[in-house]
Structures are given as structure tokens and as C-alpha cells.
Amino acid sequence: MPTRKLPEKSQIVIIGGGIIGVTLAHELAKRGEEVTVIEKRFIGSGSTFRCGTGIRQQFNDEANVQVMKRSVELWKKYSKEYGFSFKQTGYLFLLYDEGEVEEFKRNIAIQNRFGVPTRLITPEEAKEIVPLLDISEVIAASWNPTDGKASPFHSTAAFALNAEKFGAKLVEYTEVKDFIIEKGEIKGLKTSRGVIKTGIVVNATNAWAKLINAMAGIKTSIPIEPYKHQAVITQPIKRDAIKPMVISFKYGHAYLTQTSHGGVVGGVGYEIGPTYDLTPTYEFMRGVSYYFTKIIPALRELLILRTWAGYYAKTLDSNPAIGKIEELSDYYIAAGFSGHGFMMAPAVAEMVADLITKGRTDLPVDWYDPYRFERGELRGQALQMG
Amino acid sequence: MRKLDLTEKDPSGRITIYFEGQPLKAYEGEKITVALLANGIYWLTTSTEGRKRGAFTFGPVPMVVNGVRNVNARKTAVRNGMRLERQGYGDFQEAVKVDEGKPVLRQVVDVAIIGAGPAGIGAALEIQEHLTVALIEERGWLGGDMWLKGLPQEGFEGEPKGVIKGLTGKFNESIRVFRKTIALGVFDEGEYFLVPVVRENQLIEIMAKRIVLATGSVDNILLFENNEFPGVFRRDFALEVMNVWGVAPGRKVAVVGSRPEDVTPELERWGIDYVVVPNPKRVEGDEKVERLIDMNGNVYEVDAVIVSDGRRPDINPITQAGGKLRFKRGYYTPVLDSKHRIRDGIYVAGSAVSIKPHYANYLEGRLVGAYILQELGYEANPCIYKERLKEYEPEAVPIHRIPFEEFNLEDIQICGCDVSLKKVDDVVKQGITDLQIIKRLTHLAMGFCQGRFCLFNGAVVVSQRTGTDMAKIDLPVARPPLKNVRMKVTAARG
């Protein structure tokens, strides 16, 4: 992967080399724009590196459903073109009471309206999909076979490689230290490896977004806070024992699936923060074990190999802030993905590239309006796992 | 006597077990792996990529025991009539018994000592007059690596097992010993440290004011072709089967690695025929080692190979507990303050700090114990131990140059989970030199041993291929659990 000298200038600079920054650079470069990504560690090293693999269209509002429908189209297209694995093994939400079923019926109606083929299925049908499930308390499940999973690391690497082929520059181990601003206009960025001249900057730093906003002197309140979320992986078992992502809100807001390597991976909704600390906790290991073994009893006899932590960069309504910040010329933000940024990345790249190159986009970007916090117009809580 | 028995076992404990349907003689109390070895059976499991594996070097040993899959054969004792079968790594038990498990126990002590080798024993002895201790030991015996030895050790008078028994015989009632108990990690709870431990599927939460990591060192894994084939023994496993269980690794063995002298006197003591081969290239055989071929093309007909290549501190407990590392004398070692602490409240002693004789590790345990006494307001005299410890200069461990061009890299296993040296080398040759990325791309250090036996060699590959100083290579830190734990254990309520 690339470690390159900082160019003297670049029309567009993206701060942050995670999946969001990299897919955006890829999209812009493909459109012929001159773009540079500045990453303080290595490409994919932040939350992308620690994320849980899931890609779903089962959201509870029109905007997210549309955006994710587009995103899945792009995941399909690029995984094929670039040869990384994206498997449409589905998302299975286990439901345990009538209240949950009613809520999911509403969600499914919205999803169906935009062509996402989610169905309410019986516990027996759910068990056919994942034979290891304990369905004794399950009364129904929400199932969309077109949702899926991909390796965050390999997909990010593939987008990075191809972004470079289109001429994007990816500069690793370089940290942005300050903005150079004259009369409300961005002139460049000061970095740990010198100055880069630019007029257009995108803040794609997610958990660190508020630090970059502060550097840019942004007065608009865009509350994005880092929260510690944790994940676990078990010993590898035979492939395809658990194909889809299995979700259970009843049991700890748990999500779990099997990686391509065979380990069972996932997490629960145990949140600590705001904090930049990433030390895995004992409480998580206990909680995740309890909830996972309730959902799939066979996990009882599997060995836990490792736990780790990463950030959810959370906003007040669990939706990201995506858009142009008017108080500084040509400053954009795409951050605060609240635990589901990986899956959104290809569509977000398209939206932000549209905004930069055309000033508008056909995707419902207004839902993610960065000014909504200040206006007090929070959206309905986006469905968040883990 | 069985095929590889070195000693006559107590006939009253004689039982019959079945391996792949074939009846075999075994003795009560023996581990599955040892009982099978005594009968001449080496190949016990098959890796995900179809490689035959034994029990005595890296990688897990899952077996089917009485129809139950994925049982750890290293930790399970034989029972009369037990039926054993081979399985692949990925086989698991789909139908499981669901119960509430054992209720979680809690214990409050002044000091939790993790590891009961000479250092852990030394620390416990030093503080037992004033403080309560939980002494946590993964293995079934106290004395650590020293217990594996049959010959007198420098600094101590007499046969090692006798010395250990003499020392542990002095334990008073304030020392609570946990044998066959793994520690999952050290967690800072502010007022105290929490050390969750597991003994026979029982979760015990130990709360302690101070921690001693007497967690020892691990044997180096030597890189040669088919280095994880059944019949290859790590030094510690070879000593264990001989000196703890009275079973020979083989009738004729080859000793490889830079420290053959750590093994050959023991082989002589038992009258086992051996040959020292300084430059191994490859082992071959059908179901187990039948021959060793060296770099010069010499062929040695042997039925086991013992790798004795020195030891390096186990860095996992150090980094999980929040310690930093530095590279010195050929290994990564914890950064300590003047009182042997990696941070407030967490002390390190023994070969977890540096490689030196058992007696020096014992002294270091006493030293750390004395520091703890002082810190908690009791009279102690660490200076005596400090002075005596100075007589032992820690050993340097040589780093081998890997002769890449002379090996078939695909056949060399760098990590027990099907990671070949080729896989890692290919990634490094692409210019990827950050071990964090190498981990993700190759799965190095992501398996059962959590990097204990492979991360160092990964760093060596990077260093050798890029010319980077080992001191400048950033090692990924260990995450809990420090040792693999079954999910049902941590799922227990209460």
C-alpha cells in the first residue's frame, strides 16, 4: 500500500484514509478530479480496521434505505470489478414480541417501497437460514437476502489501489496539524510533513471530526463524539455455519456472523464514552458471551480468541453529518457515522463527489444536513447495531 | 511398558482407551496427548488447510472425545473406556448441553501472582508473612519451566523437583494456590485490579491490590520446512513428556536450534539416542517425522525432532496489562521503573523480564515481593536481592538470519493457524512492513496462541527484508483474553 511524498498542491484534499476517505478519493479520481488523501497512520487504520463487516439496507427511514440500496449496488459492482469479497448472505433480525414485529412491519414497508426485498419470516424459516439458531423464544424475523458482508480491510485496500490507478494520491503517516485560511478561504493545510496547497477540503475523520472542525475554526455546532464499542472473535469453525448477519435487540443489541476465515465475529450494544480510550473491558467479554450463547447455544463450546475495541463516532440521532459547511469556503464534512459508516461508504462517496463536482446530488443528502443539530431538527434515530 | 514409556507406571491406574477404534493402554491422570504418544501415536489433528499436526509444538489440538467434538486434547485427562478420534480444526460441537453453568466465584487478596515458576514462588514466599496471595498457575504443577528439568540447576542445591517441593512446602495458609487455572487478563478497576481466572470451566474473579506478572517466557519457534509436523517437539514439551510423564519423544531423536545443550543432557539421562543437527532444512514422513534433512543434504533417520532454540519473554501479559516494550539482547522485554513495575501496582519478575537462570528468576520474585511489602508499609529489604541479582547478567538470545532462498517457503509454518512463511514474506515484499497490516492480511498472530509463538518471527521477517532495526518495529499489543476461554465460562451469570 502507498506511502507517498506529500504533493505540493492538490485541488481537493480529503483528511482521513478510512473507508469513507478512500472511497471518496476513488470516486473523485475516477471523475478526473485531482485529489489527495492525508492519513495520520495507514490506510484503513482507524475504525475501518476494527469494524464488524456488515452491509445492510434494513433501515427505518426513507433516506437511509435509499442510500443503502444505492450503496449495495456499488458494493456489488466494485467487488466484482476489483475482486474483493462482498457476499450477499443477508441480514436476519430476530424478533421476540408483538411490539418488535409491528415496528419491523413498518420498516419493511418502507424498505419494500424502495425496492429492498425484505420479508417477515417465521422462526422455522429463520432456522433454515441459520440452523444453529435457538428459536424457542423467537416469534418472527426480518430477512433481507440482499444485505451482506465484506472484509473492511480488503475492500478498503482495493478501493485505495484503484483510486491510485485513477490518479488519486494517498499519503500515509502524515497528520494534519492546521488549516491555512485567508479571508474565509482555504488556502492549504499544514501537516506533519509540510504544507499542501488546496482550496477544497473534506473532513472524513469520523471519530476525530470535531478536532478537524476546531482546526478549521468551524463555529457551527456539529456534535460528533467517539464512543468505545467492542467486538469479539471466536476460534474458526467450518465455513458458512453462520452465513448472514444475525441481529437480536432482545439479547443485548447483539450482532454476529462468521468471517470468511471461519471465526464468529460480532458485538453487543455496550457503549462507553465519550472517550478515545480503546482498552477492551472484562464487562464486555462477559456480556457478549452471555448474549451470544443465548442466540446460538453452540457458541458455548467455542473458544474466544480475542476481543478488541473501536469507535462509533456518534451524533445525537445516529445519522452522519454529510454536506458543505458554508462558513468556510469549500469545506465539506462526511463524519459521525454512528456505527454504520462502512456499509454506507460507496454511496456517501458518490453523494459527496456529486456535491463537490456538481453542487447537487440525486441521493437524499439533506437527511444528513450538518446544520440540523443547530436548528434542532434531529432525525428519527437511525437503526444502530452493537 | 508401552512403546515409548521410559518408566514403569503404577499398574493399579491402568486403563484402556480407544483411538480411532483401536484399544490402547493408558494410565489414570495422564493427558490424552501423552497417553497417545506413549503408544507411538503422534498425528492427532488436521489443520484447516489439511496439514497433519501433533500436540507438541504450536497450534491447537482439537479432538473428538466420546463423540464430543472440539475438545482440547492437551488439557483433558484420559478416562477408562474413553473413545478418541481425529478431527479437523474447523469441526465443532453443534448440539451442546445448555445449563446455567457454574456460579461465578469471587476472591479478595492483597496480591495476585500470575505464574508459579521460580519467580512466582519467590514472590509468594517473600510476602506471605504479611499479605494474602492468589498464586495462579496454568499448568498442573508448580515450579514452571524448572519442574520440567531432571538435572540440578545453578544456584539451587539438588534435584529440581526436590527444590521446588522444598520451597512450596514453606507456603503458609495466606497463599491460595490455583493450579490448572488460566488468567484472562488484568483489568484496572481503579480501587483494585481484577484478574478473572478460569479453573475447570469455573470463572473466578480475583480482586487484588497489587499484581505480579511472573508469566515467564516462551520457546522460540525455529523456521524449517514442515516445522509443525507430528513428531516435532518444542523443548518444553519434550522435557515435559520425559520428566513429568516418563514418556520418550521418540526412540531416536534429532535436536535442532541454537541451544541443544538445554536438552541433550536430559536425553542422555534417559538413555535416548540422539543426534544434534545444527542446520535443519526439512522434516519428512507419512504420519509423523521419519527423517530430517539438513542444509547440506544429509539425511537423518529419526522419529522425533526436538527444537531447542532458547526462550524469549512472553510479552502478551505485559502489553495486555498496559506495559510498554523495548528491544534488548535479542528480545522484547518490559519497560520497568526502578521498582520493577510496568505501571502503578503491576510488578514483573522472572523470565518475563529477561532470560537468566532459574535461581536468578527466583531472586527477582523475592525482590518484587520485597518492593510490594515496602510499598504497603511493611519492613522489607529489597537491596539484598538486588545485589545478588546483579551477579546474573541476562542472556542474549541470537536472532537467526532466515535463508529465504534456500527454503521452500510454503512448507514453513510461521504461525500455527496455517500461516506459511511464504504468505508473510510475500506481503512484506510488496512493501507492507507494518505488523498491524501484516496481521490482517495473513492472519499472523490472530489465532489460538495470540501471537505468542509467531509475532517475533514476523518481526524478524520484516527486519531482515527491509533492514529495519528490531527496536523500531512496533509490535501489536495483546488483547484479552490472554488465553483462550470457552464462551460458556464467561457467559456464566452472577
Side-chain angles (χ1 to χ4, degrees):
Chain A
M1 240 171 288
T3 310
R4 202 190 283 274
K5 244 185 74 196
L6 190 73
E8 244 175 63
K9 61 180 180 53
S10 180
Q11 245 167 8
I12 306 167
V13 174
I14 299 165
I15 310 174
I19 186 74
I20 298 289
V22 167
T23 49
L24 176 58
H26 168 265
E27 184 63 33
L28 286 166
K30 211 178 156 195
R31 296 181 187 194
E33 302 294 327
E34 187 194 27
V35 59
T36 301
V37 173
I38 299 181
E39 163 55 48
K40 69 175 172 181
R41 287 188 68 208
F42 54 86
I43 294 299
S45 58
S47 304
T48 302
F49 212 53
R50 297 155 181 277
C51 120
T53 78
I55 293 167
R56 77 181 140 99
Q57 301 152 88
Q58 296 188 61
F59 277 82
N60 52 349
D61 61 81
E62 296 186 359
N64 277 307
V65 170
Q66 289 175 77
V67 167
M68 280 313 302
K69 175 137 197 304
R70 177 62 184 151
S71 205
V72 165
E73 286 166 16
L74 294 168
W75 278 110
K76 266 163 82 172
K77 171 180 151 75
Y78 287 121
S79 62
K80 215 183 216 170
E81 276 180 30
Y82 299 158
F84 63 85
S85 154
F86 165 59
K87 287 194 179 134
Q88 287 184 296
T89 44
Y91 255 67
L92 186 66
F93 289 75
L94 303 175
L95 310 175
Y96 301 82
D97 63 55
E98 288 305 330
E100 263 193 312
V101 172
E102 284 314 308
E103 189 191 328
F104 272 80
K105 276 184 182 165
R106 283 196 296 276
N107 296 349
I108 290 170
I110 298 171
Q111 291 159 22
N112 290 170
R113 191 140 39 90
F114 292 98
V116 175
T118 312
R119 290 188 297 132
L120 198 69
I121 61 170
T122 64
E124 293 69 29
E125 286 174 301
K127 199 167 169 69
E128 269 174 42
I129 297 164
V130 184
L132 294 174
L133 280 184
D134 175 3
I135 54 162
S136 60
E137 297 174 284
V138 175
I139 64 165
S142 179
W143 166 244
N144 170 24
T146 66
D147 290 341
K149 55 192 178 188
S151 152
F153 192 70
H154 288 103
S155 52
T156 307
F159 277 112
L161 197 70
N162 286 282
E164 284 201 302
K165 283 191 186 152
F166 291 119
K169 295 192 169 63
L170 308 178
V171 188
E172 296 181 302
Y173 299 102
T174 303
E175 191 173 354
V176 171
K177 298 285 187 190
D178 207 356
F179 279 60
I180 303 167
I181 297 168
E182 287 171 17
K183 294 174 192 158
E185 283 189 11
I186 297 173
K187 295 293 177 194
L189 294 170
K190 286 182 192 163
T191 81
S192 57
R193 292 213 273 170
V195 168
I196 179 167
K197 288 182 197 161
T198 184
I200 305 172
V201 170
V202 183
N203 175 359
T205 59
N206 212 32
W208 296 272
K210 65 176 174 187
L211 305 178
I212 299 298
N213 282 348
M215 254 179 228
I218 301 300
K219 301 278 187 307
T220 312
S221 160
I222 308 171
I224 297 173
E225 294 294 341
Y227 284 84
K228 175 156 76 174
H229 277 249
Q230 301 177 61
V232 66
I233 192 153
T234 70
Q235 69 181 108
I237 55 173
K238 273 190 187 141
R239 308 269 154 95
D240 293 332
I242 307 168
K243 283 187 184 173
M245 186 70 83
V246 179
I247 311 286
S248 168
F249 287 115
K250 177 186 166 84
Y251 286 114
H253 288 241
Y255 66 93
L256 64 89
T257 190
Q258 196 179 4
T259 68
S260 56
H261 193 260
V264 180
V265 70
V268 292
Y270 173 59
E271 184 168 272
I272 301 170
T275 178
Y276 279 110
D277 172 61
L278 285 181
T279 323
T281 65
Y282 175 62
E283 289 74 15
F284 170 77
M285 208 193 320
R286 298 274 281 121
V288 79
S289 305
Y290 175 75
Y291 292 127
F292 275 23
T293 54
K294 285 281 186 193
I295 300 162
I296 296 184
L299 296 177
R300 293 173 61 81
E301 296 298 336
L302 293 194
L303 297 167
I304 298 175
L305 297 190
R306 205 167 54 255
T307 60
W308 69 94
Y311 303 122
Y312 277 22
K314 283 193 50 161
T315 63
L316 300 171
D317 55 16
S318 292
N319 280 294
I322 304 171
K324 192 164 192 279
I325 305 296
E326 300 295 344
E327 62 185 279
L328 181 61
S329 72
D330 296 312
Y331 180 67
Y332 296 83
I333 185 166
F337 287 91
S338 307
H340 44 264
F342 171 67
M343 59 182 78
M344 293 179 81
V348 170
E350 200 167 80
M351 278 193 282
V352 178
D354 281 349
L355 291 182
I356 294 173
T357 60
K358 298 191 281 193
R360 56 170 299 282
T361 176
D362 291 336
L363 287 164
V365 74
D366 287 346
W367 184 258
Y368 312 109
D369 182 359
Y371 290 93
R372 70 182 186 276
F373 307 104
E374 213 159 70
R375 288 203 305 266
E377 292 171 13
L378 293 189
R379 310 305 187 204
Q381 283 286 331
L383 220 51
Q384 179 195 307
M385 320 287 114
Chain B
M1 298 243 286
R2 297 167 296 187
K3 212 169 164 186
L4 292 176
D5 269 328
L6 290 167
T7 55
E8 197 78 57
K9 310 292 184 292
D10 176 6
S12 70
R14 226 175 92 178
I15 55 173
T16 303
I17 59 170
Y18 299 86
F19 178 70
E20 302 281 329
Q22 170 200 355
L24 300 172
K25 209 188 284 178
Y27 293 91
E28 268 171 28
E30 277 182 336
K31 297 195 289 188
I32 291 172
T33 51
V34 173
L36 293 176
L37 173 69
N39 286 284
I41 294 163
Y42 292 81
W43 169 36
L44 303 187
T45 183
T46 307
S47 80
T48 313
E49 290 186 3
R51 296 181 67 93
K52 289 176 181 141
R53 297 274 171 89
F56 302 110
T57 183
F58 55 9
V61 192
M63 287 186 81
V64 187
V65 177
N66 294 331
V68 177
R69 289 155 193 260
N70 191 27
V71 174
N72 183 348
R74 281 202 189 104
K75 288 200 170 171
T76 308
V78 288
R79 296 259 185 275
N80 196 27
M82 190 179 255
R83 291 181 181 275
L84 304 165
E85 292 159 74
R86 287 190 188 105
Q87 66 160 81
Y89 275 20
D91 291 343
F92 68 106
Q93 188 61 20
E94 296 194 18
V96 299
K97 206 176 94 206
V98 177
D99 52 34
E100 284 306 304
K102 299 176 180 176
V104 180
L105 301 180
R106 288 198 179 81
Q107 295 257 324
V108 181
V109 292
D110 293 316
V111 182
I113 300 174
I114 307 178
I121 292 170
L125 284 172
E126 184 68 22
I127 62 182
Q128 65 173 350
E129 289 307 322
H130 301 287
L131 301 169
T132 57
V133 174
L135 183 59
I136 303 151
E137 171 54 52
E138 178 174 8
R139 300 195 257 199
W141 61 81
L142 305 183
D145 199 60
M146 181 159 154
W147 185 260
L148 301 177
K149 300 185 178 169
L151 296 162
Q153 299 296 307
E154 175 184 354
F156 289 115
E157 299 273 325
E159 179 267 334
K161 286 193 181 63
V163 172
I164 296 293
K165 281 179 190 158
L167 291 172
T168 54
K170 292 184 202 152
F171 282 1
N172 71 20
E173 65 287 348
S174 63
I175 299 178
R176 179 91 200 256
V177 178
F178 296 83
R179 281 191 190 79
K180 295 186 183 175
T181 304
I182 56 164
L184 301 182
V186 176
F187 299 90
D188 187 349
E189 301 291 312
E191 291 291 301
Y192 60 92
F193 292 102
L194 178 65
V195 184
V197 304
V198 181
R199 183 176 60 191
E200 284 166 15
N201 290 331
Q202 164 89 65
L203 185 60
I204 308 167
E205 297 178 337
I206 295 173
M207 301 166 194
K209 288 183 207 144
R210 297 292 178 270
I211 302 289
V212 177
L213 299 176
T215 37
S217 50
V218 291
D219 274 87
N220 301 335
I221 294 296
L222 199 62
L223 300 176
F224 55 89
E225 294 170 22
N226 301 326
N227 55 335
E228 41 51 289
F229 200 61
V232 176
F233 286 72
R234 235 165 48 196
R235 178 209 62 104
D236 54 340
F237 279 127
L239 293 181
E240 181 187 335
V241 297
M242 291 188 290
N243 293 334
V244 178
W245 304 101
V247 175
R251 281 299 166 202
K252 175 156 193 198
V253 306
V255 182
V256 301
S258 60
R259 301 280 304 229
E261 67 274 20
D262 291 349
V263 171
T264 51
E266 304 275 359
L267 292 168
E268 277 164 24
R269 198 166 72 89
W270 288 109
I272 297 170
D273 195 9
Y274 70 87
V275 54
V276 174
V277 181
N279 51 351
K281 180 180 190 317
R282 180 180 180 83
V283 297
E284 288 177 352
D286 181 19
E287 290 192 356
K288 59 171 283 289
V289 170
E290 289 166 24
R291 72 197 72 87
L292 172 73
I293 301 156
D294 74 8
M295 287 293 190
N296 306 323
N298 301 314
V299 179
Y300 304 88
E301 303 288 338
V302 291
D303 48 18
V305 172
I306 300 173
V307 177
S308 182
D309 194 48
R311 293 161 73 76
R312 293 189 165 93
D314 178 3
I315 58 174
N316 284 18
I318 310 287
T319 58
Q320 189 278 326
K324 297 269 177 276
L325 303 174
R326 66 174 168 161
F327 187 78
K328 206 177 172 185
R329 302 185 189 94
Y331 46 88
Y332 295 95
T333 152
V335 175
L336 302 176
D337 69 9
S338 62
K339 296 210 161 70
H340 269 61
R341 287 176 297 204
I342 52 170
R343 46 173 289 191
D344 272 357
I346 305 181
Y347 294 78
V348 192
S351 60
V353 174
S354 57
I355 303 304
K356 52 198 180 300
H358 294 304
Y359 188 69
N361 291 327
Y362 169 74
L363 286 176
E364 199 169 25
R366 304 274 329 200
L367 171 68
V368 154
Y371 284 139
I372 291 174
L373 285 178
Q374 249 183 0
E375 196 197 337
L376 297 183
Y378 300 95
E379 215 165 292
N381 206 342
C383 296
I384 315 171
Y385 302 120
K386 208 173 170 181
E387 281 308 309
R388 284 161 69 191
L389 198 52
K390 276 185 188 155
E391 293 164 27
Y392 298 89
E393 178 63 24
E395 290 169 27
V397 179
I399 299 172
H400 302 289
R401 263 200 86 72
I402 307 167
F404 287 102
E405 54 295 330
E406 290 173 59
F407 278 137
N408 177 6
L409 301 184
E410 260 174 355
D411 284 346
I412 299 175
Q413 298 297 297
I414 186 165
C415 166
C417 303
D418 283 321
V419 185
S420 69
L421 181 56
K422 181 168 185 348
K423 227 184 216 173
V424 174
D425 191 43
D426 282 352
V427 167
V428 176
K429 279 199 291 200
Q430 283 171 46
I432 295 162
T433 57
D434 192 315
L435 278 170
Q436 293 282 9
I437 311 179
I438 295 170
K439 246 178 95 171
R440 295 313 192 278
L441 290 177
T442 66
H443 248 79
L444 178 85
M446 290 179 91
F448 295 84
C449 82
Q450 293 134 315
R452 270 188 186 82
F453 295 102
C454 56
L455 207 49
F456 189 87
N457 280 333
V460 171
V461 174
V462 171
S463 169
Q464 194 175 323
R465 283 299 198 195
T466 64
T468 314
D469 191 336
M470 290 288 281
K472 293 208 170 108
I473 292 175
D474 204 10
L475 293 189
V477 306
R479 311 288 187 201
L482 279 176
K483 295 280 166 90
N484 307 157
V485 59
R486 291 201 192 262
M487 217 176 238
K488 68 178 175 190
V489 175
T490 41
R493 295 268 91 174

